[in-house]
Amino acid sequence: DTGVSQDPRHKITKRGQNVTFRCDPISEHNRLYWYRQTLGQGPEFLTYFQNEAQLEKSRLLSDRFSAERPKGSFSTLEIQRTEQGDSAMYLCASSPRGSGDNEQFFGPGTRLTVL
Amino acid sequence: GIQVEQSPPDLILQEGANSTLRCNFSDSVNNLQWFHQNPWGQLINLFYIPSGTKQNGRLSATTVATERYSLLYISSSQTTDSGVYFCAVGPYNQGGKLIFGQGTELSVKP
């Protein structure tokens, strides 16, 4: 078990470009979460999947953001027409779905800088 | 929505000292986790503790769910304990998402 992985670890882009991040959860974890963390703040929830179904999206997730989890395995988070305010650390987490076991495990994050 | 407050916001210790970090939350939860964020941004799981007491080496944690607070104890602190400690809670019937506090930034001086 190699833990949650994310790719890339760092991304620098120019304003207006599209970016896509990937998250590979711990194998057999049914739930996958995306969070965003800006400097000096705690992570904030963006969206989550149970298997391939996207079950909740935060108000933080504007229409420029889209997330997918085809086949219930890895997930991608795409940001279209990036803005400087999108600069943040994007964190992915996974957890098993089972009664009484909701512990989430986080990946190393993707740090996005929008110039 | 649920509010999560951590105290103190900042803490400076001499190596070897003990400390207590507190997390208050405003509603019932079915998940509570403590994390240590390392300088590269990785969140390291310390405890999954929706209720009760757990210990892991020099660290221990207690959650009193009925009174809506949790405590993280660090004993005999080391410089490697420096960093930001987050408490995060999972409200009932909200899909397991975590709501994070603002964190406690701990600095341990040699």
Side-chain angles (χ1 to χ4, degrees):
Chain A
D1 190 346
T2 57
V4 179
S5 61
Q6 293 186 245
D7 183 71
R9 296 290 304 277
H10 303 272
K11 178 70 177 178
I12 299 174
T13 191
K14 293 183 179 178
R15 186 164 49 94
Q17 298 295 304
N18 299 342
V19 295
T20 300
F21 310 141
R22 176 179 171 126
C23 170
D24 286 86
I26 294 171
S27 59
E28 300 184 357
H29 276 194
N30 293 328
R31 289 187 172 175
L32 186 149
Y33 302 81
W34 286 99
Y35 295 83
R36 182 172 68 186
Q37 184 178 23
T38 54
L39 200 61
Q41 303 295 315
E44 295 176 291
F45 168 78
L46 292 178
T47 188
Y48 91 97
F49 294 83
Q50 173 128 336
N51 299 314
E52 66 275 12
Q54 187 174 18
L55 297 185
E56 184 177 351
K57 293 192 291 186
S58 162
R59 292 171 298 173
L60 294 174
L61 216 63
S62 75
D63 56 6
R64 297 184 297 106
F65 289 70
S66 62
E68 295 182 341
R69 192 184 182 195
K71 303 179 182 178
S73 56
F74 70 92
S75 176
T76 58
L77 178 68
E78 180 183 16
I79 309 174
Q80 296 182 329
R81 306 181 302 282
T82 52
E83 302 173 355
Q84 289 185 326
D86 297 331
S87 295
M89 175 77 93
Y90 290 84
L91 295 163
C92 175
S94 70
S95 73
R97 179 178 181 260
S99 59
D101 185 358
N102 299 311
E103 185 174 7
Q104 291 186 29
F105 297 86
F106 282 77
T110 295
R111 189 175 298 278
L112 172 66
T113 301
V114 181
L115 302 177
Chain B
I2 195 168
Q3 302 297 310
V4 182
E5 295 182 358
Q6 291 187 242
S7 60
D10 304 281
L11 186 59
I12 300 175
L13 298 175
Q14 284 299 126
E15 200 168 25
N18 302 330
S19 61
T20 301
L21 281 57
R22 186 176 180 103
C23 173
N24 292 334
F25 43 98
S26 61
D27 205 346
S28 300
V29 299
N30 66 355
N31 182 5
L32 191 145
Q33 293 184 238
W34 283 97
F35 298 93
H36 178 207
Q37 190 163 43
N38 68 20
W40 298 273
Q42 171 92 54
L43 286 167
I44 309 299
N45 288 42
L46 297 178
F47 293 102
Y48 170 69
I49 187 165
S51 63
T53 298
K54 291 185 178 180
Q55 181 159 5
N56 184 4
R58 296 181 296 104
L59 273 60
S60 64
T62 295
T63 297
V64 183
T66 54
E67 298 187 19
R68 299 179 185 169
Y69 73 89
S70 183
L71 302 173
L72 177 69
Y73 305 96
I74 304 174
S75 64
S76 303
S77 57
Q78 301 175 358
T79 56
T80 51
D81 295 331
S82 297
V84 182
Y85 289 79
F86 286 104
C87 166
V89 303
Y92 277 103
N93 300 320
Q94 293 197 28
K97 69 182 179 187
L98 291 175
I99 308 299
F100 282 76
Q102 292 296 300
T104 291
E105 184 161 9
L106 174 65
S107 179
V108 181
K109 304 296 187 184

PDB file of all heavy atoms in Angstrom, chain A residues 48-61:
ATOM      1  N   TYR A  48     -16.461  15.538  -3.179  1.00  0.00           N
ATOM      2  CA  TYR A  48     -16.078  14.170  -2.896  1.00  0.00           C
ATOM      3  C   TYR A  48     -16.845  13.187  -3.762  1.00  0.00           C
ATOM      4  O   TYR A  48     -17.922  13.484  -4.284  1.00  0.00           O
ATOM      5  CB  TYR A  48     -16.217  13.841  -1.409  1.00  0.00           C
ATOM      6  CG  TYR A  48     -17.548  13.272  -0.954  1.00  0.00           C
ATOM      7  CD1 TYR A  48     -17.719  11.892  -0.818  1.00  0.00           C
ATOM      8  CD2 TYR A  48     -18.606  14.105  -0.612  1.00  0.00           C
ATOM      9  CE1 TYR A  48     -18.924  11.368  -0.358  1.00  0.00           C
ATOM     10  CE2 TYR A  48     -19.810  13.584  -0.164  1.00  0.00           C
ATOM     11  CZ  TYR A  48     -19.965  12.223  -0.027  1.00  0.00           C
ATOM     12  OH  TYR A  48     -21.148  11.699   0.416  1.00  0.00           O
ATOM     13  N   PHE A  49     -16.249  12.016  -3.909  1.00  0.00           N
ATOM     14  CA  PHE A  49     -16.800  10.925  -4.704  1.00  0.00           C
ATOM     15  C   PHE A  49     -16.961   9.696  -3.822  1.00  0.00           C
ATOM     16  O   PHE A  49     -16.121   9.404  -2.976  1.00  0.00           O
ATOM     17  CB  PHE A  49     -15.854  10.543  -5.848  1.00  0.00           C
ATOM     18  CG  PHE A  49     -15.691  11.608  -6.891  1.00  0.00           C
ATOM     19  CD1 PHE A  49     -14.803  12.656  -6.710  1.00  0.00           C
ATOM     20  CD2 PHE A  49     -16.427  11.565  -8.061  1.00  0.00           C
ATOM     21  CE1 PHE A  49     -14.647  13.636  -7.669  1.00  0.00           C
ATOM     22  CE2 PHE A  49     -16.283  12.534  -9.034  1.00  0.00           C
ATOM     23  CZ  PHE A  49     -15.386  13.580  -8.833  1.00  0.00           C
ATOM     24  N   GLN A  50     -18.045   8.982  -4.079  1.00  0.00           N
ATOM     25  CA  GLN A  50     -18.165   7.629  -3.579  1.00  0.00           C
ATOM     26  C   GLN A  50     -18.149   6.747  -4.818  1.00  0.00           C
ATOM     27  O   GLN A  50     -19.053   6.808  -5.645  1.00  0.00           O
ATOM     28  CB  GLN A  50     -19.466   7.412  -2.808  1.00  0.00           C
ATOM     29  CG  GLN A  50     -19.671   5.974  -2.436  1.00  0.00           C
ATOM     30  CD  GLN A  50     -19.956   5.779  -0.974  1.00  0.00           C
ATOM     31  OE1 GLN A  50     -19.597   6.587  -0.126  1.00  0.00           O
ATOM     32  NE2 GLN A  50     -20.629   4.705  -0.679  1.00  0.00           N
ATOM     33  N   ASN A  51     -17.091   5.943  -4.943  1.00  0.00           N
ATOM     34  CA  ASN A  51     -16.839   5.229  -6.188  1.00  0.00           C
ATOM     35  C   ASN A  51     -16.784   6.254  -7.325  1.00  0.00           C
ATOM     36  O   ASN A  51     -16.058   7.232  -7.218  1.00  0.00           O
ATOM     37  CB  ASN A  51     -17.862   4.132  -6.395  1.00  0.00           C
ATOM     38  CG  ASN A  51     -17.805   3.109  -5.273  1.00  0.00           C
ATOM     39  OD1 ASN A  51     -16.733   2.655  -4.888  1.00  0.00           O
ATOM     40  ND2 ASN A  51     -18.959   2.757  -4.726  1.00  0.00           N
ATOM     41  N   GLU A  52     -17.569   6.087  -8.384  1.00  0.00           N
ATOM     42  CA  GLU A  52     -17.478   7.039  -9.490  1.00  0.00           C
ATOM     43  C   GLU A  52     -18.468   8.188  -9.374  1.00  0.00           C
ATOM     44  O   GLU A  52     -18.430   9.126 -10.178  1.00  0.00           O
ATOM     45  CB  GLU A  52     -17.689   6.308 -10.828  1.00  0.00           C
ATOM     46  CG  GLU A  52     -19.076   5.741 -11.026  1.00  0.00           C
ATOM     47  CD  GLU A  52     -19.233   4.361 -10.401  1.00  0.00           C
ATOM     48  OE1 GLU A  52     -18.345   3.938  -9.633  1.00  0.00           O
ATOM     49  OE2 GLU A  52     -20.258   3.710 -10.685  1.00  0.00           O
ATOM     50  N   ALA A  53     -19.344   8.152  -8.380  1.00  0.00           N
ATOM     51  CA  ALA A  53     -20.384   9.164  -8.248  1.00  0.00           C
ATOM     52  C   ALA A  53     -19.879  10.375  -7.453  1.00  0.00           C
ATOM     53  O   ALA A  53     -19.392  10.218  -6.327  1.00  0.00           O
ATOM     54  CB  ALA A  53     -21.606   8.557  -7.564  1.00  0.00           C
ATOM     55  N   GLN A  54     -20.041  11.552  -8.041  1.00  0.00           N
ATOM     56  CA  GLN A  54     -19.709  12.788  -7.334  1.00  0.00           C
ATOM     57  C   GLN A  54     -20.923  13.182  -6.511  1.00  0.00           C
ATOM     58  O   GLN A  54     -21.964  13.556  -7.062  1.00  0.00           O
ATOM     59  CB  GLN A  54     -19.344  13.888  -8.321  1.00  0.00           C
ATOM     60  CG  GLN A  54     -18.827  15.153  -7.665  1.00  0.00           C
ATOM     61  CD  GLN A  54     -18.336  16.186  -8.679  1.00  0.00           C
ATOM     62  OE1 GLN A  54     -18.663  16.121  -9.865  1.00  0.00           O
ATOM     63  NE2 GLN A  54     -17.532  17.128  -8.238  1.00  0.00           N
ATOM     64  N   LEU A  55     -20.806  13.129  -5.185  1.00  0.00           N
ATOM     65  CA  LEU A  55     -21.965  13.265  -4.317  1.00  0.00           C
ATOM     66  C   LEU A  55     -22.152  14.648  -3.732  1.00  0.00           C
ATOM     67  O   LEU A  55     -23.247  14.984  -3.285  1.00  0.00           O
ATOM     68  CB  LEU A  55     -21.920  12.217  -3.198  1.00  0.00           C
ATOM     69  CG  LEU A  55     -21.983  10.765  -3.663  1.00  0.00           C
ATOM     70  CD1 LEU A  55     -22.053   9.822  -2.462  1.00  0.00           C
ATOM     71  CD2 LEU A  55     -23.174  10.536  -4.588  1.00  0.00           C
ATOM     72  N   GLU A  56     -21.106  15.447  -3.685  1.00  0.00           N
ATOM     73  CA  GLU A  56     -21.262  16.790  -3.133  1.00  0.00           C
ATOM     74  C   GLU A  56     -20.204  17.708  -3.711  1.00  0.00           C
ATOM     75  O   GLU A  56     -19.064  17.296  -3.925  1.00  0.00           O
ATOM     76  CB  GLU A  56     -21.149  16.778  -1.601  1.00  0.00           C
ATOM     77  CG  GLU A  56     -21.412  18.147  -0.969  1.00  0.00           C
ATOM     78  CD  GLU A  56     -21.377  18.128   0.541  1.00  0.00           C
ATOM     79  OE1 GLU A  56     -21.322  17.038   1.143  1.00  0.00           O
ATOM     80  OE2 GLU A  56     -21.398  19.242   1.140  1.00  0.00           O
ATOM     81  N   LYS A  57     -20.609  18.945  -3.964  1.00  0.00           N
ATOM     82  CA  LYS A  57     -19.681  19.981  -4.412  1.00  0.00           C
ATOM     83  C   LYS A  57     -19.856  21.202  -3.538  1.00  0.00           C
ATOM     84  O   LYS A  57     -20.984  21.656  -3.301  1.00  0.00           O
ATOM     85  CB  LYS A  57     -19.951  20.344  -5.874  1.00  0.00           C
ATOM     86  CG  LYS A  57     -19.639  19.233  -6.853  1.00  0.00           C
ATOM     87  CD  LYS A  57     -19.642  19.713  -8.299  1.00  0.00           C
ATOM     88  CE  LYS A  57     -21.028  20.078  -8.771  1.00  0.00           C
ATOM     89  NZ  LYS A  57     -21.014  20.413 -10.222  1.00  0.00           N
ATOM     90  N   SER A  58     -18.748  21.762  -3.088  1.00  0.00           N
ATOM     91  CA  SER A  58     -18.787  22.962  -2.270  1.00  0.00           C
ATOM     92  C   SER A  58     -19.113  24.181  -3.129  1.00  0.00           C
ATOM     93  O   SER A  58     -18.886  24.195  -4.344  1.00  0.00           O
ATOM     94  CB  SER A  58     -17.435  23.151  -1.591  1.00  0.00           C
ATOM     95  OG  SER A  58     -17.254  24.468  -1.123  1.00  0.00           O
ATOM     96  N   ARG A  59     -19.607  25.219  -2.461  1.00  0.00           N
ATOM     97  CA  ARG A  59     -19.823  26.488  -3.169  1.00  0.00           C
ATOM     98  C   ARG A  59     -18.504  27.072  -3.663  1.00  0.00           C
ATOM     99  O   ARG A  59     -18.474  27.914  -4.550  1.00  0.00           O
ATOM    100  CB  ARG A  59     -20.500  27.491  -2.240  1.00  0.00           C
ATOM    101  CG  ARG A  59     -21.924  27.140  -1.884  1.00  0.00           C
ATOM    102  CD  ARG A  59     -22.430  28.070  -0.804  1.00  0.00           C
ATOM    103  NE  ARG A  59     -21.658  27.933   0.426  1.00  0.00           N
ATOM    104  CZ  ARG A  59     -21.806  28.729   1.477  1.00  0.00           C
ATOM    105  NH1 ARG A  59     -22.664  29.720   1.451  1.00  0.00           N
ATOM    106  NH2 ARG A  59     -21.086  28.533   2.557  1.00  0.00           N
ATOM    107  N   LEU A  60     -17.387  26.618  -3.069  1.00  0.00           N
ATOM    108  CA  LEU A  60     -16.072  27.090  -3.508  1.00  0.00           C
ATOM    109  C   LEU A  60     -15.758  26.619  -4.923  1.00  0.00           C
ATOM    110  O   LEU A  60     -14.915  27.205  -5.610  1.00  0.00           O
ATOM    111  CB  LEU A  60     -14.984  26.575  -2.564  1.00  0.00           C
ATOM    112  CG  LEU A  60     -14.985  27.087  -1.133  1.00  0.00           C
ATOM    113  CD1 LEU A  60     -13.922  26.352  -0.324  1.00  0.00           C
ATOM    114  CD2 LEU A  60     -14.755  28.585  -1.098  1.00  0.00           C
ATOM    115  N   LEU A  61     -16.434  25.556  -5.357  1.00  0.00           N
ATOM    116  CA  LEU A  61     -16.143  24.958  -6.654  1.00  0.00           C
ATOM    117  C   LEU A  61     -16.952  25.684  -7.730  1.00  0.00           C
ATOM    118  O   LEU A  61     -18.091  25.309  -8.028  1.00  0.00           O
ATOM    119  CB  LEU A  61     -16.492  23.471  -6.613  1.00  0.00           C
ATOM    120  CG  LEU A  61     -15.601  22.520  -7.399  1.00  0.00           C
ATOM    121  CD1 LEU A  61     -14.194  22.535  -6.865  1.00  0.00           C
ATOM    122  CD2 LEU A  61     -16.172  21.116  -7.372  1.00  0.00           C
TER     123      LEU A  61
END
